[in-house]
Amino acid sequence: MKKYVDGVLVDLTAKEIAEFNQRLDEAPSEFDMALEDLRVNRNRLLKETDYFALSDQTLSDNMRTYRQELRDLTNGLTTVEDVEDVVLPAKP
């Protein structure tokens, strides 16, 4: 592996290679990134309906079910394919 230093291509040191490999090992997996994208989308949908759950509002059974289905979306997902196959519930 090489890097540029002051315009000159030089070899990485063993320590630099080890640090690079460690960063690769610590990088989120494709599954982790897919799950995070799903969670961001789910959280946005929940936020859009938060006002229904305020103490001065009566939460309908349909809305309660919808919000619970959103919270349960990530349960049991173990592969990228599982995440990609998730179907978001329809908002009542």
Side-chain angles (χ1 to χ4, degrees):
M1 299 178 82
K2 299 192 179 279
K3 66 179 180 178
Y4 281 100
V5 176
D6 297 326
V8 177
L9 194 60
V10 297
D11 290 324
L12 292 177
T13 65
K15 180 180 177 185
E16 290 171 323
I17 292 171
E19 289 171 352
F20 177 80
N21 289 332
Q22 182 178 0
R23 284 195 305 271
L24 282 180
D25 291 341
E26 294 170 355
S29 68
E30 185 179 353
F31 171 72
D32 291 334
M33 290 186 301
L35 193 58
E36 180 61 20
D37 287 344
L38 178 60
R39 285 184 175 132
V40 166
N41 193 25
R42 185 248 346 246
N43 291 346
R44 178 186 55 79
L45 294 171
L46 279 168
K47 187 174 273 193
E48 288 175 2
T49 62
D50 277 351
Y51 69 94
F52 286 116
L54 296 174
S55 62
D56 63 343
Q57 297 287 325
T58 302
L59 193 60
S60 71
D61 288 340
N62 288 344
M63 185 57 68
R64 183 176 287 112
T65 299
Y66 170 73
R67 289 174 54 82
Q68 187 61 52
E69 288 173 351
L70 286 173
R71 287 190 295 274
D72 292 343
L73 276 179
T74 58
N75 293 349
L77 301 178
T78 58
T79 66
V80 172
E81 291 77 19
D82 289 344
V83 175
E84 291 172 349
D85 289 342
V86 167
V87 176
L88 296 172
K91 185 176 177 181

Coordinates of all heavy atoms in Angstrom, one line a residue:
M1 N 0.8 -1.2 0.0 CA 0.0 0.0 0.0 C 0.9 1.2 0.0 O 1.9 1.3 0.6 CB -0.9 0.0 1.2 CG -1.9 -1.2 1.3 SD -2.9 -1.2 2.7 CE -4.2 -0.1 2.2
K2 N 0.4 2.2 -0.7 CA 1.2 3.4 -0.8 C 0.4 4.7 -0.5 O -0.8 4.6 -0.5 CB 1.8 3.5 -2.2 CG 2.7 2.4 -2.6 CD 3.4 2.6 -3.9 CE 4.3 1.5 -4.2 NZ 5.6 1.4 -3.5
K3 N 1.1 5.8 -0.3 CA 0.4 7.1 -0.1 C 1.3 8.2 -0.6 O 2.5 7.9 -0.9 CB 0.2 7.3 1.4 CG 1.5 7.5 2.2 CD 1.3 7.8 3.7 CE 2.6 7.9 4.4 NZ 2.4 8.3 5.8
Y4 N 0.8 9.3 -0.9 CA 1.6 10.5 -1.3 C 2.0 11.3 -0.1 O 1.2 11.7 0.7 CB 0.7 11.3 -2.3 CG 0.7 10.7 -3.7 CD1 -0.4 10.0 -4.1 CD2 1.7 10.9 -4.6 CE1 -0.5 9.5 -5.4 CE2 1.7 10.4 -5.9 CZ 0.5 9.7 -6.3 OH 0.5 9.1 -7.5
V5 N 3.3 11.7 -0.1 CA 3.8 12.6 0.9 C 4.6 13.6 0.1 O 5.6 13.3 -0.6 CB 4.7 11.8 1.9 CG1 5.4 12.8 2.8 CG2 4.0 10.8 2.6
D6 N 4.1 14.9 0.2 CA 4.8 16.0 -0.6 C 4.9 15.6 -2.0 O 6.0 15.9 -2.6 CB 6.1 16.3 0.1 CG 6.0 16.9 1.5 OD1 4.9 17.5 1.8 OD2 6.9 16.6 2.3
G7 N 3.9 15.0 -2.6 CA 3.9 14.7 -4.0 C 4.7 13.5 -4.4 O 4.9 13.2 -5.6
V8 N 5.3 12.8 -3.4 CA 6.1 11.6 -3.7 C 5.3 10.4 -3.2 O 4.8 10.3 -2.0 CB 7.4 11.7 -3.0 CG1 8.3 10.4 -3.2 CG2 8.2 12.9 -3.5
L9 N 5.2 9.3 -4.0 CA 4.5 8.1 -3.6 C 5.5 7.2 -2.7 O 6.6 6.9 -3.2 CB 4.2 7.3 -4.9 CG 3.2 6.2 -4.7 CD1 1.8 6.7 -4.1 CD2 2.9 5.5 -6.1
V10 N 5.0 6.9 -1.5 CA 5.9 6.2 -0.6 C 5.0 5.0 0.0 O 3.8 5.1 0.0 CB 6.4 7.0 0.6 CG1 7.3 8.1 0.1 CG2 5.3 7.6 1.4
D11 N 5.7 4.0 0.5 CA 5.0 2.9 1.1 C 4.5 3.3 2.5 O 5.1 4.1 3.2 CB 6.0 1.7 1.3 CG 6.4 1.0 0.0 OD1 5.5 1.0 -0.9 OD2 7.5 0.6 -0.2
L12 N 3.3 2.7 2.8 CA 2.8 2.9 4.2 C 3.6 2.1 5.1 O 4.2 1.0 4.8 CB 1.3 2.4 4.2 CG 0.3 3.1 3.5 CD1 -1.1 2.5 3.6 CD2 0.2 4.6 4.0
T13 N 3.7 2.6 6.4 CA 4.4 1.8 7.4 C 3.5 0.7 7.9 O 2.3 0.6 7.6 CB 4.8 2.7 8.6 OG1 3.5 3.1 9.2 CG2 5.6 3.9 8.2
A14 N 4.1 -0.3 8.6 CA 3.3 -1.4 9.1 C 2.3 -0.9 10.0 O 1.1 -1.4 10.1 CB 4.3 -2.4 9.8
K15 N 2.6 0.1 10.8 CA 1.6 0.7 11.7 C 0.4 1.3 11.0 O -0.7 1.2 11.3 CB 2.3 1.7 12.6 CG 1.3 2.4 13.6 CD 2.0 3.4 14.5 CE 1.0 4.1 15.4 NZ 1.6 5.1 16.2
E16 N 0.7 2.1 9.9 CA -0.3 2.7 9.1 C -1.2 1.6 8.4 O -2.4 1.8 8.4 CB 0.3 3.6 8.0 CG 0.9 4.9 8.6 CD 1.7 5.6 7.5 OE1 2.4 5.0 6.7 OE2 1.7 6.9 7.6
I17 N -0.6 0.5 8.0 CA -1.4 -0.5 7.4 C -2.3 -1.2 8.4 O -3.5 -1.4 8.2 CB -0.5 -1.6 6.7 CG1 0.2 -1.0 5.5 CG2 -1.2 -2.8 6.3 CD1 1.3 -1.8 4.9
A18 N -1.8 -1.4 9.6 CA -2.5 -2.0 10.7 C -3.7 -1.1 11.1 O -4.8 -1.5 11.3 CB -1.7 -2.3 11.9
E19 N -3.5 0.2 11.2 CA -4.5 1.2 11.5 C -5.6 1.2 10.4 O -6.8 1.3 10.7 CB -3.9 2.6 11.7 CG -3.1 2.7 13.0 CD -2.4 4.0 13.1 OE1 -2.3 4.8 12.1 OE2 -1.8 4.3 14.1
F20 N -5.2 1.1 9.2 CA -6.1 1.1 8.0 C -7.0 -0.1 8.1 O -8.2 -0.1 8.0 CB -5.3 1.1 6.7 CG -6.2 1.0 5.5 CD1 -6.9 2.1 5.0 CD2 -6.4 -0.2 4.9 CE1 -7.7 2.0 3.9 CE2 -7.2 -0.3 3.7 CZ -7.9 0.8 3.3
N21 N -6.4 -1.3 8.4 CA -7.1 -2.5 8.5 C -8.1 -2.5 9.6 O -9.2 -3.1 9.6 CB -6.2 -3.7 8.5 CG -5.5 -4.0 7.2 OD1 -6.0 -3.7 6.2 ND2 -4.3 -4.6 7.3
Q22 N -7.7 -1.9 10.8 CA -8.5 -1.8 11.9 C -9.8 -1.0 11.6 O -10.9 -1.3 12.0 CB -7.8 -1.3 13.1 CG -8.7 -1.2 14.4 CD -7.9 -0.7 15.6 OE1 -6.7 -0.3 15.5 NE2 -8.6 -0.6 16.7
R23 N -9.6 0.1 10.9 CA -10.7 1.0 10.5 C -11.7 0.2 9.6 O -12.9 0.3 9.7 CB -10.2 2.2 9.8 CG -9.7 3.3 10.8 CD -9.6 4.7 10.2 NE -8.8 4.7 9.0 CZ -7.4 4.9 9.0 NH1 -6.8 5.0 10.1 NH2 -6.8 4.9 7.8
L24 N -11.1 -0.6 8.7 CA -11.9 -1.4 7.8 C -12.8 -2.4 8.6 O -13.9 -2.6 8.4 CB -11.1 -2.2 6.8 CG -10.6 -1.4 5.6 CD1 -9.8 -2.4 4.7 CD2 -11.7 -0.8 4.8
D25 N -12.1 -3.1 9.6 CA -12.8 -4.0 10.5 C -13.9 -3.4 11.3 O -15.0 -4.0 11.6 CB -11.9 -4.7 11.4 CG -10.9 -5.7 10.7 OD1 -11.2 -6.0 9.6 OD2 -9.8 -6.0 11.3
E26 N -13.7 -2.1 11.7 CA -14.7 -1.4 12.5 C -15.8 -0.7 11.7 O -16.8 -0.3 12.2 CB -14.0 -0.4 13.4 CG -13.1 -1.0 14.4 CD -12.2 0.1 15.1 OE1 -12.2 1.3 14.7 OE2 -11.4 -0.3 16.0
A27 N -15.7 -0.7 10.4 CA -16.7 -0.1 9.5 C -18.0 -0.8 9.6 O -18.0 -2.1 9.7 CB -16.2 0.0 8.1
P28 N -19.1 -0.1 9.5 CA -20.4 -0.8 9.6 C -20.6 -1.7 8.4 O -20.1 -1.4 7.3 CB -21.4 0.3 9.6 CG -20.7 1.5 9.2 CD -19.3 1.3 9.4
S29 N -21.2 -2.8 8.7 CA -21.5 -3.8 7.6 C -22.6 -3.3 6.7 O -23.3 -2.4 7.0 CB -21.9 -5.2 8.2 OG -23.1 -5.1 8.8
E30 N -22.8 -4.0 5.6 CA -23.9 -3.6 4.7 C -25.2 -3.8 5.4 O -26.1 -3.0 5.2 CB -23.8 -4.5 3.4 CG -24.8 -4.1 2.3 CD -24.7 -5.0 1.1 OE1 -23.8 -5.8 1.0 OE2 -25.6 -4.9 0.3
F31 N -25.3 -4.8 6.2 CA -26.6 -5.0 7.0 C -26.8 -3.9 7.9 O -27.9 -3.4 8.0 CB -26.5 -6.4 7.7 CG -27.6 -6.6 8.7 CD1 -28.9 -6.8 8.2 CD2 -27.4 -6.5 10.0 CE1 -30.0 -7.0 9.1 CE2 -28.4 -6.7 10.9 CZ -29.7 -6.9 10.5
D32 N -25.7 -3.5 8.7 CA -25.9 -2.4 9.6 C -26.3 -1.1 9.0 O -27.2 -0.4 9.5 CB -24.6 -2.2 10.4 CG -24.2 -3.3 11.3 OD1 -25.1 -4.0 11.8 OD2 -23.0 -3.5 11.6
M33 N -25.8 -0.8 7.8 CA -26.2 0.4 7.1 C -27.6 0.3 6.6 O -28.3 1.3 6.7 CB -25.2 0.6 5.9 CG -23.8 1.0 6.4 SD -22.6 1.5 5.1 CE -22.5 0.1 4.1
A34 N -28.0 -0.9 6.1 CA -29.4 -1.0 5.6 C -30.4 -0.9 6.7 O -31.4 -0.2 6.6 CB -29.6 -2.4 4.9
L35 N -30.0 -1.5 7.9 CA -30.9 -1.4 9.1 C -31.0 0.0 9.6 O -32.1 0.5 9.9 CB -30.4 -2.3 10.2 CG -31.3 -2.6 11.3 CD1 -32.6 -3.2 10.9 CD2 -30.6 -3.6 12.3
E36 N -29.9 0.7 9.6 CA -29.9 2.1 10.0 C -30.8 3.0 9.1 O -31.5 3.8 9.5 CB -28.5 2.7 10.0 CG -28.4 4.1 10.5 CD -28.9 4.4 11.9 OE1 -29.0 3.5 12.7 OE2 -29.3 5.6 12.2
D37 N -30.7 2.7 7.8 CA -31.6 3.5 6.8 C -33.0 3.2 7.1 O -33.9 4.1 7.1 CB -31.3 3.1 5.4 CG -29.9 3.6 4.9 OD1 -29.4 4.6 5.5 OD2 -29.5 3.1 3.8
L38 N -33.4 1.9 7.4 CA -34.7 1.6 7.7 C -35.2 2.3 9.0 O -36.3 2.8 9.1 CB -34.9 0.1 7.9 CG -36.3 -0.4 8.3 CD1 -37.3 0.0 7.3 CD2 -36.3 -1.9 8.5
R39 N -34.3 2.3 10.0 CA -34.6 3.0 11.3 C -34.8 4.5 11.1 O -35.7 5.0 11.7 CB -33.5 2.7 12.3 CG -33.5 1.3 12.9 CD -32.5 1.1 13.9 NE -32.6 -0.2 14.5 CZ -31.6 -1.0 14.7 NH1 -30.4 -0.6 14.4 NH2 -31.8 -2.2 15.3
V40 N -34.0 5.1 10.3 CA -34.2 6.5 10.1 C -35.5 6.8 9.4 O -36.3 7.7 9.8 CB -33.0 7.1 9.2 CG1 -33.3 8.4 8.6 CG2 -31.7 7.1 10.0
N41 N -35.9 6.0 8.4 CA -37.2 6.2 7.8 C -38.3 5.9 8.8 O -39.3 6.7 8.8 CB -37.3 5.2 6.6 CG -38.5 5.6 5.7 OD1 -38.9 6.7 5.6 ND2 -38.9 4.6 4.9
R42 N -38.2 4.8 9.5 CA -39.2 4.5 10.5 C -39.4 5.6 11.6 O -40.5 6.0 11.9 CB -38.8 3.2 11.2 CG -39.8 2.6 12.2 CD -39.5 2.6 13.7 NE -38.1 2.9 14.1 CZ -37.4 2.0 14.7 NH1 -37.8 0.7 14.9 NH2 -36.2 2.3 15.1
N43 N -38.3 6.1 12.0 CA -38.3 7.2 13.0 C -39.0 8.4 12.5 O -39.7 9.1 13.2 CB -36.9 7.5 13.6 CG -36.4 6.3 14.4 OD1 -37.1 5.4 14.8 ND2 -35.1 6.4 14.6
R44 N -38.7 8.7 11.2 CA -39.4 9.9 10.6 C -40.9 9.7 10.6 O -41.7 10.6 10.9 CB -38.9 10.1 9.2 CG -39.5 11.2 8.4 CD -39.0 11.3 6.9 NE -39.3 10.0 6.2 CZ -40.4 9.7 5.7 NH1 -41.5 10.4 5.9 NH2 -40.6 8.5 5.1
L45 N -41.4 8.5 10.2 CA -42.8 8.2 10.2 C -43.4 8.3 11.6 O -44.5 8.8 11.7 CB -43.1 6.9 9.5 CG -42.7 6.7 8.1 CD1 -42.8 5.3 7.6 CD2 -43.6 7.6 7.2
L46 N -42.7 7.8 12.6 CA -43.2 7.9 13.9 C -43.3 9.4 14.4 O -44.3 9.8 15.0 CB -42.3 7.1 14.9 CG -42.5 5.6 15.0 CD1 -41.4 5.0 15.7 CD2 -43.8 5.3 15.6
K47 N -42.3 10.1 14.0 CA -42.3 11.5 14.4 C -43.5 12.3 13.8 O -44.0 13.2 14.4 CB -41.0 12.2 14.0 CG -40.8 13.6 14.5 CD -39.4 14.2 14.2 CE -38.6 13.8 15.3 NZ -37.3 14.5 15.3
E48 N -43.8 11.9 12.6 CA -44.9 12.5 11.9 C -46.3 12.3 12.6 O -47.2 13.1 12.5 CB -45.1 12.0 10.5 CG -44.0 12.5 9.5 CD -44.1 11.9 8.1 OE1 -45.1 11.1 7.9 OE2 -43.3 12.1 7.3
T49 N -46.3 11.3 13.4 CA -47.6 10.9 14.2 C -47.4 11.1 15.7 O -48.4 10.8 16.4 CB -48.0 9.5 13.9 OG1 -47.0 8.6 14.3 CG2 -48.3 9.3 12.4
D50 N -46.3 11.7 16.1 CA -46.1 11.9 17.6 C -47.2 12.7 18.2 O -47.7 12.5 19.3 CB -44.8 12.5 17.9 CG -43.6 11.5 17.9 OD1 -43.9 10.3 17.9 OD2 -42.5 12.0 17.9
Y51 N -47.7 13.7 17.5 CA -48.7 14.6 18.1 C -50.0 13.9 18.4 O -50.8 14.3 19.2 CB -49.0 15.8 17.1 CG -49.7 15.5 15.9 CD1 -51.1 15.6 15.8 CD2 -49.0 15.1 14.7 CE1 -51.8 15.3 14.6 CE2 -49.7 14.8 13.5 CZ -51.0 14.9 13.5 OH -51.7 14.6 12.3
F52 N -50.3 12.7 17.7 CA -51.5 11.9 18.1 C -51.3 11.3 19.4 O -52.3 10.9 20.1 CB -51.7 10.8 17.0 CG -52.2 11.3 15.7 CD1 -51.5 11.1 14.6 CD2 -53.5 11.8 15.6 CE1 -51.9 11.5 13.3 CE2 -54.0 12.2 14.4 CZ -53.2 12.1 13.3
A53 N -50.1 11.1 19.9 CA -49.9 10.4 21.1 C -49.7 11.3 22.3 O -49.3 10.9 23.4 CB -48.6 9.5 21.0
L54 N -49.9 12.6 22.1 CA -49.8 13.6 23.2 C -51.0 13.3 24.3 O -52.0 12.8 23.9 CB -49.9 15.0 22.7 CG -48.8 15.5 21.8 CD1 -49.1 16.8 21.2 CD2 -47.5 15.4 22.5
S55 N -50.7 13.7 25.5 CA -51.7 13.4 26.6 C -53.0 14.1 26.4 O -54.0 13.6 26.9 CB -51.1 13.9 27.9 OG -50.9 15.2 27.9
D56 N -53.1 15.2 25.6 CA -54.4 15.8 25.4 C -55.1 15.3 24.1 O -56.1 15.9 23.7 CB -54.2 17.3 25.3 CG -53.4 17.8 24.2 OD1 -52.6 17.0 23.6 OD2 -53.4 19.0 23.9
Q57 N -54.6 14.2 23.5 CA -55.2 13.6 22.3 C -55.6 12.2 22.6 O -55.1 11.6 23.5 CB -54.1 13.5 21.2 CG -53.6 14.8 20.7 CD -54.6 15.6 19.9 OE1 -55.4 15.0 19.1 NE2 -54.6 16.9 20.0
T58 N -56.7 11.8 21.9 CA -57.1 10.4 22.0 C -56.6 9.7 20.9 O -56.9 10.0 19.7 CB -58.7 10.3 22.1 OG1 -59.1 11.1 23.2 CG2 -59.1 8.9 22.2
L59 N -55.7 8.7 21.1 CA -55.1 7.9 20.1 C -56.0 6.8 19.6 O -56.5 6.0 20.4 CB -53.8 7.3 20.6 CG -52.8 6.7 19.7 CD1 -52.3 7.7 18.7 CD2 -51.6 6.1 20.4
S60 N -56.4 6.8 18.3 CA -57.3 5.8 17.8 C -56.6 4.5 17.8 O -55.4 4.4 17.8 CB -57.8 6.2 16.4 OG -56.7 6.0 15.5
D61 N -57.4 3.4 17.8 CA -56.9 2.1 17.7 C -56.0 1.9 16.4 O -55.0 1.3 16.5 CB -58.0 1.0 17.8 CG -58.6 0.9 19.2 OD1 -57.9 1.4 20.1 OD2 -59.7 0.4 19.3
N62 N -56.5 2.4 15.3 CA -55.8 2.3 14.0 C -54.4 3.0 14.1 O -53.4 2.4 13.7 CB -56.6 2.9 12.9 CG -57.8 2.1 12.5 OD1 -57.9 1.0 12.9 ND2 -58.7 2.7 11.8
M63 N -54.4 4.2 14.7 CA -53.1 4.9 14.9 C -52.2 4.2 15.9 O -51.0 4.1 15.6 CB -53.3 6.3 15.3 CG -52.1 7.2 15.3 SD -51.2 7.2 13.7 CE -52.3 8.1 12.7
R64 N -52.8 3.7 16.9 CA -52.0 2.9 17.9 C -51.3 1.7 17.2 O -50.1 1.4 17.4 CB -52.8 2.5 19.1 CG -52.1 1.8 20.2 CD -53.0 1.4 21.4 NE -53.2 2.7 22.1 CZ -54.5 3.2 22.2 NH1 -55.5 2.7 21.6 NH2 -54.6 4.3 22.9
T65 N -52.1 1.0 16.4 CA -51.6 -0.2 15.7 C -50.5 0.2 14.7 O -49.5 -0.5 14.6 CB -52.8 -0.9 15.0 OG1 -53.7 -1.3 16.0 CG2 -52.3 -2.1 14.2
Y66 N -50.8 1.2 14.0 CA -49.8 1.7 13.0 C -48.5 2.0 13.7 O -47.4 1.6 13.2 CB -50.4 3.0 12.3 CG -49.4 3.7 11.4 CD1 -49.0 3.2 10.2 CD2 -48.9 5.0 11.8 CE1 -48.1 3.9 9.4 CE2 -48.0 5.7 11.0 CZ -47.6 5.1 9.8 OH -46.7 5.8 9.0
R67 N -48.5 2.8 14.7 CA -47.3 3.2 15.4 C -46.6 1.9 16.0 O -45.3 1.9 16.0 CB -47.6 4.2 16.5 CG -48.0 5.6 15.9 CD -48.4 6.6 17.0 NE -47.4 6.8 18.1 CZ -46.4 7.5 18.0 NH1 -46.1 8.2 16.9 NH2 -45.5 7.6 19.0
Q68 N -47.3 1.0 16.5 CA -46.7 -0.3 17.0 C -46.1 -1.0 15.9 O -45.0 -1.6 16.0 CB -47.7 -1.1 17.8 CG -47.1 -2.3 18.5 CD -46.1 -1.9 19.5 OE1 -46.4 -1.1 20.4 NE2 -44.9 -2.4 19.4
E69 N -46.7 -1.1 14.8 CA -46.2 -1.8 13.6 C -44.9 -1.1 13.2 O -43.9 -1.8 12.8 CB -47.2 -1.8 12.4 CG -48.3 -2.8 12.7 CD -49.4 -2.7 11.6 OE1 -49.4 -1.8 10.8 OE2 -50.3 -3.5 11.6
L70 N -44.8 0.2 13.2 CA -43.6 0.9 12.9 C -42.5 0.5 13.8 O -41.3 0.2 13.5 CB -43.8 2.4 12.9 CG -44.6 3.0 11.7 CD1 -44.9 4.4 11.9 CD2 -43.8 2.8 10.4
R71 N -42.8 0.5 15.1 CA -41.8 0.2 16.1 C -41.3 -1.3 16.0 O -40.1 -1.5 16.3 CB -42.3 0.4 17.5 CG -42.4 1.9 17.9 CD -42.7 2.1 19.4 NE -44.0 1.6 19.8 CZ -45.2 2.3 19.7 NH1 -45.2 3.5 19.2 NH2 -46.3 1.8 20.1
D72 N -42.2 -2.1 15.5 CA -41.8 -3.6 15.4 C -41.1 -3.9 14.1 O -40.7 -5.0 13.9 CB -43.0 -4.4 15.5 CG -43.6 -4.4 16.9 OD1 -42.9 -4.0 17.9 OD2 -44.8 -4.8 17.1
L73 N -40.9 -2.9 13.2 CA -40.4 -3.2 11.8 C -39.0 -3.9 11.9 O -38.8 -4.8 11.0 CB -40.2 -1.9 11.1 CG -41.4 -1.4 10.3 CD1 -41.0 -0.1 9.6 CD2 -41.9 -2.4 9.3
T74 N -38.2 -3.6 12.8 CA -36.8 -4.1 12.8 C -36.7 -5.5 13.5 O -35.6 -6.1 13.5 CB -35.8 -3.1 13.4 OG1 -36.2 -2.8 14.7 CG2 -35.8 -1.9 12.5
N75 N -37.7 -5.9 14.2 CA -37.7 -7.2 14.9 C -37.4 -8.3 14.0 O -38.1 -8.5 13.0 CB -39.0 -7.4 15.7 CG -39.2 -6.4 16.8 OD1 -38.3 -5.7 17.1 ND2 -40.4 -6.4 17.4
G76 N -36.5 -9.2 14.3 CA -36.2 -10.4 13.6 C -35.5 -10.3 12.3 O -35.3 -11.2 11.6
L77 N -35.0 -9.1 11.9 CA -34.3 -8.9 10.7 C -32.8 -9.3 10.9 O -32.2 -8.9 11.9 CB -34.3 -7.4 10.3 CG -35.7 -6.8 10.0 CD1 -35.6 -5.4 9.6 CD2 -36.5 -7.6 9.0
T78 N -32.3 -10.2 10.0 CA -31.0 -10.7 10.2 C -30.1 -10.5 8.9 O -28.9 -10.8 9.0 CB -31.0 -12.2 10.6 OG1 -31.7 -12.9 9.6 CG2 -31.7 -12.4 11.9
T79 N -30.7 -10.2 7.8 CA -29.9 -10.1 6.5 C -30.4 -8.8 5.8 O -31.4 -8.2 6.1 CB -30.2 -11.3 5.6 OG1 -31.5 -11.2 5.2 CG2 -29.9 -12.6 6.3
V80 N -29.5 -8.4 4.9 CA -29.8 -7.2 4.1 C -31.1 -7.5 3.3 O -32.0 -6.6 3.1 CB -28.7 -6.9 3.1 CG1 -29.1 -5.8 2.1 CG2 -27.4 -6.5 3.9
E81 N -31.3 -8.7 2.8 CA -32.5 -9.1 2.1 C -33.7 -8.9 2.9 O -34.8 -8.4 2.5 CB -32.4 -10.5 1.5 CG -31.4 -10.7 0.4 CD -29.9 -10.7 1.0 OE1 -29.7 -11.0 2.2 OE2 -29.0 -10.5 0.2
D82 N -33.6 -9.3 4.2 CA -34.8 -9.1 5.2 C -35.1 -7.6 5.2 O -36.3 -7.3 5.2 CB -34.4 -9.6 6.6 CG -34.3 -11.1 6.7 OD1 -34.8 -11.8 5.8 OD2 -33.8 -11.5 7.7
V83 N -34.1 -6.8 5.3 CA -34.4 -5.3 5.5 C -35.0 -4.8 4.2 O -36.0 -4.0 4.2 CB -33.1 -4.6 5.8 CG1 -33.3 -3.1 5.8 CG2 -32.5 -5.0 7.1
E84 N -34.5 -5.2 3.0 CA -35.0 -4.8 1.8 C -36.4 -5.2 1.5 O -37.2 -4.6 0.7 CB -34.1 -5.2 0.6 CG -32.7 -4.5 0.7 CD -31.7 -5.1 -0.3 OE1 -32.0 -6.1 -0.9 OE2 -30.7 -4.4 -0.5
D85 N -36.8 -6.4 2.1 CA -38.2 -6.9 1.9 C -39.2 -6.3 2.8 O -40.4 -6.6 2.7 CB -38.2 -8.4 2.1 CG -37.4 -9.1 1.0 OD1 -37.3 -8.5 -0.1 OD2 -37.1 -10.3 1.2
V86 N -38.8 -5.4 3.8 CA -39.7 -4.8 4.7 C -40.7 -4.0 3.9 O -40.4 -3.2 3.1 CB -39.0 -4.0 5.8 CG1 -40.0 -3.1 6.5 CG2 -38.2 -4.9 6.7
V87 N -42.0 -4.1 4.3 CA -43.1 -3.3 3.7 C -43.6 -2.4 4.8 O -44.0 -2.9 5.9 CB -44.2 -4.2 3.2 CG1 -45.4 -3.3 2.7 CG2 -43.7 -5.1 2.1
L88 N -43.5 -1.1 4.6 CA -44.0 -0.2 5.6 C -45.5 -0.3 5.7 O -46.2 -0.4 4.7 CB -43.6 1.2 5.3 CG -42.1 1.5 5.2 CD1 -41.8 2.9 4.7 CD2 -41.5 1.4 6.6
P89 N -46.0 -0.2 7.0 CA -47.5 -0.2 7.1 C -48.1 1.0 6.6 O -47.5 2.1 6.5 CB -47.7 -0.3 8.7 CG -46.4 0.3 9.2 CD -45.3 -0.1 8.3
A90 N -49.3 0.9 6.2 CA -50.1 2.1 5.6 C -50.6 2.9 6.8 O -51.1 2.5 7.7 CB -51.3 1.6 4.8
K91 N -50.3 4.2 6.6 CA -50.8 5.2 7.6 C -52.3 5.3 7.6 O -52.9 5.5 6.5 CB -50.1 6.5 7.3 CG -50.4 7.6 8.4 CD -49.6 8.8 8.1 CE -49.9 9.9 9.1 NZ -49.1 11.2 8.7
P92 N -52.9 5.2 8.7 CA -54.4 5.3 8.7 C -54.9 6.7 8.5 O -54.2 7.7 8.6 CB -54.8 4.9 10.1 CG -53.6 4.9 10.9 CD -52.4 4.9 10.0

